[in-house]
Amino acid sequence: MRPTSFIRLLNRAWGTVFWNQTYTDWAQISLPGPTPSDSPNPHQALDEKRFFSDSAISFTCLQTDILRELAPNQWITTNGIFGHLDSHQLTEEALDFISYDSYPNFSTILSSIFPNAAPDPLLDRRWSWNLSVARSISPHFCVMEQQSGPGGWTNRIAQPSPKPGQMRLWTYQSIAHGADMVLYFRWRTATMGTEIYWHGINDYHNRPNRRVAEATQIGREIETLGPRVVSTQTSAQVAIVSDYDNEWDGELDSWHGPYTRQSVRAWFTALQYQHIPVDALYLRSTTTLDDLAQYRALVYPHPAIMTDATAELLTEYVRLGGTVVFGARTGYKDSTGQCYMRPFPGPVAELCGVTVEDFTRIGPSERAPTLRWRAVDDTTIAAEAFNDIIQVETPGAEVLAEYAGSYYAGAPALVRNSVGKGSAYYYGAVFNVESAAALIQRLGLASPVGDWLELPRPVELCIRARAKTGERLIFLLNYSDEGQTITLHKAATDVLSGQRVQGAVVLAPFDVRILSETDPAGAAER
Amino acid sequence: MRPTSFIRLLNRAWGTVFWNQTYTDWAQISLPGPTPSDSPNPHQALDEKRFFSDSAISFTCLQTDILRELAPNQWITTNGIFGHLDSHQLTEEALDFISYDSYPNFSTILSSIFPNAAPDPLLDRRWSWNLSVARSISPHFCVMEQQSGPGGWTNRIAQPSPKPGQMRLWTYQSIAHGADMVLYFRWRTATMGTEIYWHGINDYHNRPNRRVAEATQIGREIETLGPRVVSTQTSAQVAIVSDYDNEWDGELDSWHGPYTRQSVRAWFTALQYQHIPVDALYLRSTTTLDDLAQYRALVYPHPAIMTDATAELLTEYVRLGGTVVFGARTGYKDSTGQCYMRPFPGPVAELCGVTVEDFTRIGPSERAPTLRWRAVDDTTIAAEAFNDIIQVETPGAEVLAEYAGSYYAGAPALVRNSVGKGSAYYYGAVFNVESAAALIQRLGLASPVGDWLELPRPVELCIRARAKTGERLIFLLNYSDEGQTITLHKAATDVLSGQRVQGAVVLAPFDVRILSETDPAGAAER
Amino acid sequence: MRPTSFIRLLNRAWGTVFWNQTYTDWAQISLPGPTPSDSPNPHQALDEKRFFSDSAISFTCLQTDILRELAPNQWITTNGIFGHLDSHQLTEEALDFISYDSYPNFSTILSSIFPNAAPDPLLDRRWSWNLSVARSISPHFCVMEQQSGPGGWTNRIAQPSPKPGQMRLWTYQSIAHGADMVLYFRWRTATMGTEIYWHGINDYHNRPNRRVAEATQIGREIETLGPRVVSTQTSAQVAIVSDYDNEWDGELDSWHGPYTRQSVRAWFTALQYQHIPVDALYLRSTTTLDDLAQYRALVYPHPAIMTDATAELLTEYVRLGGTVVFGARTGYKDSTGQCYMRPFPGPVAELCGVTVEDFTRIGPSERAPTLRWRAVDDTTIAAEAFNDIIQVETPGAEVLAEYAGSYYAGAPALVRNSVGKGSAYYYGAVFNVESAAALIQRLGLASPVGDWLELPRPVELCIRARAKTGERLIFLLNYSDEGQTITLHKAATDVLSGQRVQGAVVLAPFDVRILSETDPAGAAER
């Protein structure tokens, strides 16, 4: 292709015909800068992030190529889960595995960083989602920086000290979610520079302190526990689906990005409350049907950008028996972030059996309508933030709930369409914990050990299993500063104490218990 | 004059002797930039806006001169009502008429744009004021962009969809206020660029939708209504007076600008609630006594800048029978924005028969004193924001109300001075809806059809009349999402249905009714 | 030393080894600018302020050297108490005495400037602290700008008018705190420029007004009062200690700076409420034991930076009978702002008889634990903001209070250590008015005229005495807008009226009374 043809493609991809931005020469192109009235070109902004990611990966490869040649027997990793970086591609192309920095104590000051942030009831437990993302990149990853003390820079992000037990709790949180290597940040607190308040295990003065004592205890436990855990596998029946295109486009685009962030949080919270392990799944050009087929259900909240290829893959997954759940704003953009001239939800309209006739944001002074369920007499759940007014297009598609208010009262709000052996759900709004919980029940998702292990809400359940032996290590993590009672309806081994336990067992505040259970059936499940 | 004399004038006009800013060469002068402690030269800042306006107008003329030569039979207009632009002068010098972009749905998200904005009970009805300003420029204007869908950029200003009926309501709002041409923004929603969420009548996909249906209905109605409306005239007995000098000076100067914005809103709201049509009137160097004489009353809330020429014009208007109302902070600045060395309110002190002895802002933690009226036993109305402590200087001047609190309790707060056949009111504070309503009653202003047409508060009344035929078209606009009952004490023709109506009539939510009445007396009034 | 040695010292002082900032050439060094993630080098930031101060002082000397040569009989002063300037050194090296600009009416709008500022119950009375700082520089100082009207720039800081009497009150506030010269800002309000709203005594128009009248009254009073006041001395038994190193380091460092600002305010408020005069004392390299020895007690709230020299001086002061009070975060930094590798509180650990084993900030969503006093049954006082969990190291050190909550409940929170004839208090938290009041009682501090003069809370007590004659001028300042009753249990002379007064006496709102009492014992005290 001639250069002029390439630049014509760029003009098309960035929609530069709008507001006279057409480029005629490559030298005219720069990174997006400030614009009058803060109106950047969204398609260029999307490509900017792709460019950032490609550049960072290419630069990493430059270094890892040298390292691999000179040190062929060394692992290569980096703590890489930051913004504007396709960490999956980075890991694939340059690393042996990914590393993550886990600082769950950020949760104590989130409200002072983001004054308008919705309160997150999960607090430090929310970091389990971040760890799940790390696991989606490398099933066995490293936590390069595990928080081991109070944190903050001299001038901002002032965190209180982790409570006694929290450092150990967070360490097991990392391990339970797939970390096979954990390093504390840091050995001794720096006495100089802007990070003098990012405390390490030791204080400036090296005197014994409770953090050193806690690290000692963890070290002793890991000495015996470690070999039993390393290289075991987590498993989940459900995945929350993301992709970098929508993540990056949604940073600028307030008509879908904030909805995805809200819905992911809602689903993760609802699943946590019911002790249902969940994976993070990033759809990529290399994702296969096999990658999807291991899950009973996929929740893909608001994929504004949806290609026909992705739609086909998801349709095939459903046809073979899978379940997929979409929310409002699905499928109206192509991979450049431009809008399709096709009825919403575009490439998945047929899969979902619906189109969207009308739609509206819920304004800041408006109250979102609630849902009226056809099966149950409940109108308490709000259809939040954005409402697609759904039109059923496929005869077999079933309306599960309708809007109970606003000018579209009575219009379908949640529709299920059966395709092959599976089904697709289209929900016209943004998810909250209540609507996610209602769908979890509807989809029949449940705790994998729910038949014998009763857990209160503040306790997280994680399972790492070894296929060869059939042993399942059941991690129970108490994020609460109060004791929590769990109930075992059958006996299991408490790995840290080595004792058999059964019946009511109390977890102390911030305490951790690891049960071992050999369940060949469970091992075969995955 | 020699160049050095001109620069001496500039130094005087900008008060550059203060803080050592004296210029000795034109090359030293630039546009105002950031200053230490955010302390710009206010006189230079005022002239900057004059320069912006002059430049834009001069550039427009450059283009319209060419257009007029090449296309002498075309109208020339532009959608020009933006900041830092004298749209009156622009229209006079370059255009056939002005155009305005009407987006009343901004009202749904104002609180998210201006968190500290006082709640505006008028919401989308407030756009009627903007349309009145357009009408002050061109009695028959064009709405170049009439909102026809949900709006917002990708990254901000996210508006919900207009409710069913609102698009039609807003169209008639434009027409009722003088628009003789209305174009929707836009035919089809853009699929690319930063404005993909400024929806047009059609969605990206061109499928039928309720906005297309609503446009169809409007089109059908206008087909018959249009000829009857075009070129009819609005009329009003009262005008709210503004001028560009005070508007521009008041952008920087928080000692009068915010007061004017608050008082204009208060007066417009109070007049709307009582169904009293009001004009916007801009005082300009070309304004004549005839321009003023058509109004029974002029409200000129806080003209800090007041020249002797303007004061003379207003005095002549009062002498001939007019009524003028001023608020606090009137008349202490000359046209450079410098303060007179004359007692407040400077050029209009004699007209008002008062001087201001002492004055104070109401501090953020203070409560404004209320008014004690001499005629009525009411002390519920707050004398808001700023208090001039008035001293009566003319024997005949009558104190109508005094302050009921603070250290100046008992001092005059509202004084009326009779001059010739008319009178001038000086109110020492900033207006709110209550104090404006009290003055409306005192001035004897009322709905022009109040004797036979009862209207609830949420319904706006507008009248367009044709002098030749004496026909008055009475527009009734329901901004509420609830039905509103109006009562006709005599029969009138419902123009859209063609039927005669009388008695109680219900306007559906967001509905519009246009009554026709032939009233030769009314036609002669103007 | 060779240049490379100097730069090595700079690298060490700034901890440039952290995050690769090492300098190899002086030309590489600039003032701190914006950094990625807003993470400036705190040690460089501290030296920047020292550089600012040194530069300003050196520039001032350049001018005062000339002035002294040309006008040897003139006083030289400047209004110099601004940020990033060691006004003590400035005065010592260049001036005859310092001048201060006193604008107590800033207090009326503080909440609109600092929305998150804790409410300050002292309001304009808080300026007494600023005047105390001026007095710490020059026992007899000048107020170069004494506020005499409403204030503010065109675009910000809009203050209401001082209430009748406040201008006089604030004038006596300055005098009572040591001003021997007071000039009003300004004669006439400027008619041009950005300061047209910083009103002077006269308005733009020179007409008589109440500010002129108030100035006239003050002038008349000072005519007789002046000679009696000039060169009299204030005295105090307690001082709140500050130093420029901690002040400047604490601007960036949110782990001690905000605590000091809160604690100084708390102590000053608590002392004001109990009518206990207090001095500001700046520790400097030239401070001597004699400077300290005149005080019964020193409160040095959170001196993060603490040198061994300072610690020795304070220890000597205590040994000779003095009392020193420290709060959390004391003594962990050296003079470069780097952290000692010594147990907290570093150089004063021995003086205080404690070390700090563990510590935590109170997070934004956490509630600070209260104190449990060993002597009294009170657990209502919160141990605010930051908690040092204290470990007693010296057998004789006495635990006065312990934490009543959080994971360190029962750990010492307030410890007293006797050293020589005196004692040192270490309080693990940040002070509030209640904890300061509890310590005031414990230290036995009280009003110097409490035995015969009963004062309500809103009235400030200041004393200026003349050693030669033994006359004490007792200033009583009523900051309230309500009358206040004081009670004299013995007769005294009302200086302004010349009359003897005794028993209950009412101070009008904003009024001032000056009593004279001859007390040779009091004169000898100092």
Side-chain angles (χ1 to χ4, degrees), chain B residues 473-504:
Chain B
L473 294 171
I474 296 166
F475 289 79
L476 302 175
L477 309 159
N478 179 13
Y479 292 88
S480 160
D481 61 358
E482 293 182 5
Q484 298 294 330
T485 302
I486 60 174
T487 310
L488 293 83
H489 293 294
K490 70 175 193 188
T493 305
D494 180 327
V495 174
L496 293 175
S497 72
Q499 294 183 324
R500 294 292 285 176
V501 287
Q502 188 163 3

Side-chain angles (χ1 to χ4, degrees), chain B residues 47-332:
Chain B
D47 267 356
E48 182 194 34
K49 276 112 194 179
R50 289 171 174 146
F51 172 75
F52 288 159
S53 181
D54 286 352
S55 300
I57 292 170
S58 146
F59 182 66
T60 308
C61 286
L62 202 79
Q63 299 171 77
T64 55
D65 284 354
I66 298 168
L67 286 171
R68 279 192 211 289
E69 196 184 323
L70 299 178
N73 298 321
Q74 298 291 323
W75 290 330
I76 302 181
T77 187
T78 189
N79 40 358
I81 308 187
F82 289 102
H84 306 162
L85 177 59
D86 182 334
S87 299
H88 292 77
Q89 187 188 343
L90 172 81
T91 305
E92 217 165 74
E93 297 191 9
L95 309 178
D96 289 298
F97 52 82
I98 197 72
S99 296
Y100 173 67
D101 300 345
S102 188
Y103 286 88
N105 214 17
F106 268 104
S107 65
T108 55
I109 51 157
L110 279 178
S111 65
S112 67
I113 313 179
F114 308 109
N116 295 322
D120 183 354
L122 289 183
L123 293 173
D124 50 334
R125 186 176 175 182
R126 181 181 159 193
W127 263 246
S128 294
W129 173 249
N130 303 350
L131 293 159
S132 302
V133 169
R135 190 174 67 236
S136 82
I137 304 168
S138 304
H140 304 276
F141 58 94
C142 164
V143 171
M144 189 82 92
E145 302 185 3
Q146 177 75 51
Q147 179 163 25
S148 67
W153 284 270
T154 43
N155 53 333
R156 59 201 177 83
I157 311 284
Q159 303 178 2
S161 298
K163 304 275 182 289
Q166 281 192 319
M167 178 181 160
R168 177 171 169 268
L169 171 71
W170 298 334
T171 304
Y172 282 112
Q173 179 184 28
S174 293
I175 294 171
H177 278 280
D180 273 1
M181 190 191 303
V182 176
L183 290 81
Y184 289 109
F185 184 89
R186 55 203 301 179
W187 174 246
R188 195 178 62 226
T189 312
T191 60
M192 59 187 74
T194 185
E195 294 206 337
I196 51 176
Y197 300 119
W198 279 112
H199 290 77
I201 295 172
N202 284 288
D203 283 309
Y204 313 117
H205 45 62
N206 286 345
R207 281 202 142 196
N209 68 23
R210 69 167 168 90
R211 302 197 300 275
V212 171
E214 203 163 311
T216 307
Q217 181 193 349
I218 302 165
R220 245 187 252 116
E221 290 173 0
I222 298 291
E223 226 169 317
T224 52
L225 179 70
R228 208 154 158 188
V229 170
V230 158
S231 80
T232 53
Q233 301 260 332
T234 65
S235 71
Q237 297 191 322
V238 56
I240 297 174
V241 183
S242 308
D243 65 282
Y244 288 103
D245 280 348
N246 277 300
E247 210 168 284
W248 293 339
D249 192 62
E251 279 185 44
L252 181 70
D253 192 334
S254 64
W255 292 68
H256 71 88
Y259 302 152
T260 293
R261 294 190 286 277
Q262 175 179 336
S263 287
V264 167
R265 180 183 290 194
W267 271 96
F268 185 69
T269 303
L271 290 164
Q272 278 279 335
Y273 283 170
Q274 300 191 43
H275 311 102
I276 302 170
V278 58
D279 276 352
L281 173 66
Y282 272 70
L283 284 188
R284 309 175 58 224
S285 59
T286 56
T287 304
T288 65
L289 193 55
D290 278 356
D291 293 334
L292 308 189
Q294 64 183 294
Y295 298 104
R296 270 188 51 190
L298 300 176
V299 179
Y300 200 5
H302 309 286
I305 293 180
M306 169 68 69
T307 63
D308 285 305
T310 299
E312 266 173 55
L313 183 69
L314 292 169
T315 303
E316 204 50 40
Y317 163 74
V318 170
R319 210 180 294 281
L320 295 178
T323 297
V324 66
V325 178
F326 298 108
R329 303 263 77 198
T330 291
Y332 69 98

Side-chain angles (χ1 to χ4, degrees), chain A residues 103-113 147-153 156-164 166-167 170 197-199 210-211, chain C residues 255 259 358-367 369 385-387 389 406-408:
Chain A
Y103 287 88
N105 213 17
F106 267 104
S107 65
T108 55
I109 50 156
L110 280 178
S111 65
S112 66
I113 313 180
Q147 178 162 26
S148 67
W153 285 271
R156 58 201 181 81
I157 312 284
Q159 301 178 3
S161 300
K163 304 276 184 287
Q166 281 192 319
M167 178 182 159
W170 298 334
Y197 299 119
W198 279 112
H199 291 77
R210 69 168 167 88
R211 303 197 300 276
Chain C
W255 293 67
Y259 302 153
D358 188 9
F359 53 86
T360 187
R361 292 188 80 134
I362 308 301
S365 59
E366 290 178 316
R367 179 189 289 239
F386 198 101
N387 290 167
I389 295 127
S406 196
Y407 67 83
Y408 41 87

Side-chain angles (χ1 to χ4, degrees), chain C residues 56-117:
Chain C
I57 292 168
S58 145
F59 183 65
T60 308
C61 286
L62 203 77
Q63 299 172 77
T64 55
D65 284 354
I66 297 169
L67 286 171
R68 277 190 213 289
E69 196 183 324
L70 300 178
N73 299 320
Q74 298 291 323
W75 290 330
I76 302 181
T77 187
T78 188
N79 39 357
I81 308 187
F82 290 101
H84 306 161
L85 177 59
D86 182 334
S87 299
H88 292 76
Q89 187 187 343
L90 172 81
T91 305
E92 216 165 75
E93 297 192 7
L95 309 178
D96 288 297
F97 53 83
I98 197 73
S99 295
Y100 173 65
D101 299 343
S102 186
Y103 286 88
N105 213 18
F106 267 104
S107 65
T108 56
I109 50 158
L110 280 178
S111 65
S112 66
I113 315 178
F114 308 110
N116 296 323

Side-chain angles (χ1 to χ4, degrees), chain A residues 15 17-19 37-40 42-43 252-256 329 332-333 337-344 355-366 393 406-407, chain B residues 107-112 150-164 186 188 190-197 199 203-211:
Chain A
V17 67
F18 181 83
W19 278 3
S37 297
D38 188 21
S39 289
H43 320 301
L252 182 70
D253 193 334
S254 63
W255 293 67
H256 71 87
R329 304 262 76 198
Y332 69 98
K333 283 183 162 194
Q338 294 184 22
C339 301
Y340 286 121
M341 296 184 70
R342 303 158 68 170
F344 310 139
T355 56
V356 173
E357 185 195 337
D358 187 10
F359 52 85
T360 187
R361 293 187 80 133
I362 308 301
S365 58
E366 291 179 315
E393 299 282 353
S406 197
Y407 68 83
Chain B
S107 65
T108 55
I109 51 157
L110 279 178
S111 65
S112 67
W153 284 270
T154 43
N155 53 333
R156 59 201 177 83
I157 311 284
Q159 303 178 2
S161 298
K163 304 275 182 289
R186 55 203 301 179
R188 195 178 62 226
T191 60
M192 59 187 74
T194 185
E195 294 206 337
I196 51 176
Y197 300 119
H199 290 77
D203 283 309
Y204 313 117
H205 45 62
N206 286 345
R207 281 202 142 196
N209 68 23
R210 69 167 168 90
R211 302 197 300 275

